Amino acid sequence: MRVAITIWDDRVSPVADSAGELLVVDLAAESIISRRHECFEDDSLFHRAGKLAELSVTTLICGAISDFYSSLVQGYGIRLIPFAQGQVDEVLNAFLSGSLENWSHDTRDHLHNGLERMQSRMTKYQYLFGPVPSRRLGRSLGVDLTPYKTCTQDCVFCQIGRTTNKTLIRKEYVPTSGVIAELDDWLKTGGKADHITLSGSGEPTLHSKFGEVLAHIRANSAIPSVLLTNGSLLNHPEVREAAALADIVKVSLSTWDQSSYGWVNRPHPDLDFKQSVAGQKAFRDEYKGRMWIEVFLIAGMNSIPSDVAKIATLAELLRPDQVHLNTACRPPAEDFVAPLPIERMESLCNLFRPPAECIADYKGDGSIEMQATQEAIISMLKRRPCTARDIAGAFAMHINEAPKYLERLLQEGRIRVKRTRKSLYYCAAPEKQ
Ligand code: SF4
């Protein structure tokens, strides 16, 4: 028998839906034969349930769990023992002695209330999202500093859709005081994450006070901060000064000259590739923290080895601590963007110094994943109407990712919209006979 427990350090994770790690235990004749740890590398409940099935788990022991996730898990024929809590070894012993189900029943109401509190806590925030599981950053709390979708570029591979406000104007797009108040509330109410990441609906360095947000995180929390940036504004000294307040700065660099920059990143017309790279180099020379580079490769656009070697030469100038290679495994902004096969990605890693690591998620190509997620959303909406925010929360996706799925389902006539005074709800359309 193979039992999995969703864990947080050495305890059962209070909420299964957001647990990043599993303890997998093989049992025979009521004794433990082996135990090992596994991580959830994907951020949707659909894939989490699939991973349990792939691991041949027969019983899942967890804390509170949403109806939707439990139906996915049980759909794979996995026995579910929810509402367990405490040290992992105590819980395992209780399971082996046959007393766990009574015990977990006693804690059900308490934890169920906890889950509701947690869900309502995350849906009340306007500028925070997650924490979402991330392969490199663990559980990452996102901070969104720009309205959808405000960026200096309009990358063909962007996973949150086309840029609607392509700009170089730096200003306080969302009130810094509001962001800080939400962060304080999240920290005060016991928020836990491995990193706090400035990312979201566009380019965070466009926010004129992103440095204040980073300084506030540093002064009020021990959680390391991360800035995800396209690096296009690092030629401004004030942007470099603010960015240096992050513990990790991850810059994207996927092109090698102005033309390739034009067709892959579709920058604002006043952006100059050489100036941007010079700004990134100046930042590296001043910055004492960790600098990572993400290179996004697209089949037929920027992925032949001689072009990737040019990107690698530029990347080396920035003396990165890590280089990550990514490709379009999730639905990109443009349909013509195709992912690079994993063997091709791996063959390119050694062009970089230090050697790059492939972080693309190859569990399925974009269209298969989109189809699977659509089906899971429909199945959720058949049970109850949800807002886009509910759906983003259930699938651990960014709030701006949910509309991509909802729009397609609306076009296909598979869902419909219900308006209340306060919100827009989506529900499944009646099935055609
Ligand atoms: S990938 Fe990043 S830089 Fe490119 S358009 Fe999207 S948000 Fe902007």
Side-chain angles (χ1 to χ4, degrees):
M1 177 195 292
R2 180 162 290 168
V3 175
I5 307 178
T6 49
I7 58 171
W8 180 302
D9 295 331
D10 59 349
R11 299 181 68 81
V12 177
S13 171
V15 181
D17 301 47
S18 57
E21 203 176 342
L22 276 176
L23 175 68
V24 180
V25 183
D26 285 329
L27 303 170
E30 297 180 4
S31 327
I32 296 173
I33 300 174
S34 68
R35 47 196 288 166
R36 68 178 196 276
H37 288 246
E38 293 279 345
C39 289
F40 288 114
E41 285 153 357
D42 203 288
D43 50 6
S44 83
L45 298 179
F46 192 82
H47 283 292
R48 283 164 176 252
K51 172 141 191 172
L52 292 169
E54 264 170 38
L55 291 169
S56 307
V57 167
T58 52
T59 301
L60 176 68
I61 300 171
C62 60
I65 184 167
S66 65
D67 290 348
F68 179 65
Y69 189 19
S70 64
S71 67
L72 288 177
V73 171
Q74 288 170 321
Y76 280 109
I78 298 171
R79 178 182 168 215
L80 186 64
I81 306 181
F83 305 107
Q85 64 171 347
Q87 296 284 337
V88 169
D89 287 329
E90 286 172 12
V91 169
L92 254 181
N93 287 338
F95 176 71
L96 287 169
S97 68
S99 61
L100 181 61
E101 274 168 293
N102 297 339
W103 179 20
S104 64
H105 188 73
D106 292 342
T107 61
R108 176 173 311 222
D109 290 345
H110 171 71
L111 285 174
H112 192 258
N113 293 341
L115 176 64
E116 287 194 338
R117 272 202 307 280
M118 181 183 140
Q119 283 176 337
S120 70
R121 191 175 75 200
M122 286 322 295
T123 50
K124 80 183 181 193
Y125 295 136
Q126 212 181 331
Y127 311 114
L128 308 186
F129 60 95
V132 292
S134 148
R135 190 176 290 194
R136 286 292 141 262
L137 299 172
R139 289 153 300 169
S140 168
L141 177 76
V143 182
D144 202 350
L145 293 181
T146 52
Y148 185 79
K149 200 222 148 176
T150 307
C151 192
T152 58
Q153 301 178 171
D154 181 19
C155 305
V156 292
F157 55 79
C158 186
Q159 293 173 357
I160 54 172
R162 289 186 186 152
T163 299
T164 48
N165 180 20
K166 196 189 290 185
T167 180
L168 298 182
I169 296 172
R170 298 192 63 231
K171 63 178 185 179
E172 198 174 355
Y173 284 95
V174 299
T176 313
S177 57
V179 175
I180 285 177
E182 289 193 359
L183 278 166
D184 285 345
D185 184 72
W186 183 80
L187 289 167
K188 198 174 67 203
T189 53
K192 284 190 179 152
D194 298 311
H195 291 91
I196 300 178
T197 304
L198 270 51
S199 60
S201 305
E203 171 52 38
T205 62
L206 276 171
H207 192 285
S208 51
K209 295 193 175 166
F210 78 95
E212 274 185 33
V213 176
L214 288 170
H216 190 81
I217 296 168
R218 180 165 284 193
N220 292 281
S221 153
I223 302 174
S225 60
V226 182
L227 172 68
L228 301 187
T229 174
N230 61 28
S232 59
L233 299 177
L234 285 171
N235 54 328
H236 299 284
E238 65 278 17
V239 174
R240 294 202 294 274
E241 193 183 332
L245 295 166
D247 295 294
I248 299 173
V249 174
K250 182 164 176 172
V251 179
S252 27
L253 179 67
S254 306
T255 56
W256 57 93
D257 61 12
Q258 189 69 29
S259 317
S260 54
Y261 189 38
W263 75 67
V264 172
N265 298 113
R266 301 189 299 200
H268 186 281
D270 294 341
L271 279 178
D272 177 76
F273 181 73
K274 278 192 182 151
Q275 257 184 25
S276 292
V277 175
Q280 291 163 28
K281 170 82 172 63
F283 177 68
R284 171 73 285 184
D285 292 344
E286 297 159 12
Y287 181 51
K288 304 280 179 279
R290 280 170 286 163
M291 189 159 169
W292 297 354
I293 292 181
E294 177 163 318
V295 181
F296 202 102
L297 296 176
I298 304 162
M301 286 192 91
N302 63 348
S303 59
I304 59 170
S306 56
D307 289 340
V308 180
K310 291 180 211 157
I311 300 172
T313 303
L314 289 176
E316 207 169 336
L317 288 177
L318 306 182
R319 304 188 306 282
D321 297 285
Q322 296 183 17
V323 180
H324 301 156
L325 294 195
N326 205 351
T327 192
C329 290
R330 285 168 168 260
E334 303 298 346
D335 289 342
F336 60 77
V337 170
L340 209 61
I342 190 161
E343 313 76 49
R344 290 273 314 279
M345 294 281 279
E346 283 171 352
S347 72
L348 296 166
C349 286
N350 281 331
L351 293 174
F352 292 85
R353 292 287 167 273
E357 196 181 334
C358 174
I359 61 161
D361 181 358
Y362 280 95
K363 287 204 177 71
D365 71 24
S367 58
I368 292 170
E369 179 171 332
M370 181 132 195
Q371 185 66 36
T373 307
Q374 278 186 198
E375 295 312 315
I377 290 173
I378 285 279
S379 124
M380 182 175 173
L381 295 180
K382 277 182 183 160
R383 289 184 177 84
R384 64 188 170 103
C386 296
T387 62
R389 191 172 282 276
D390 293 335
I391 289 165
F395 289 87
M397 57 175 71
H398 185 269
I399 178 66
N400 293 325
E401 220 179 320
K404 279 195 300 196
Y405 296 97
L406 293 169
E407 271 168 32
R408 190 169 293 198
L409 288 167
L410 279 168
Q411 279 166 10
E412 291 170 2
R414 300 181 69 197
I415 60 171
R416 52 199 167 83
V417 180
K418 273 189 185 167
R419 233 172 256 279
T420 66
R421 245 162 35 97
K422 286 191 178 161
S423 292
L424 210 58
Y425 283 87
Y426 297 87
C427 46
E431 280 178 17
K432 292 185 185 123
Q433 298 299 317

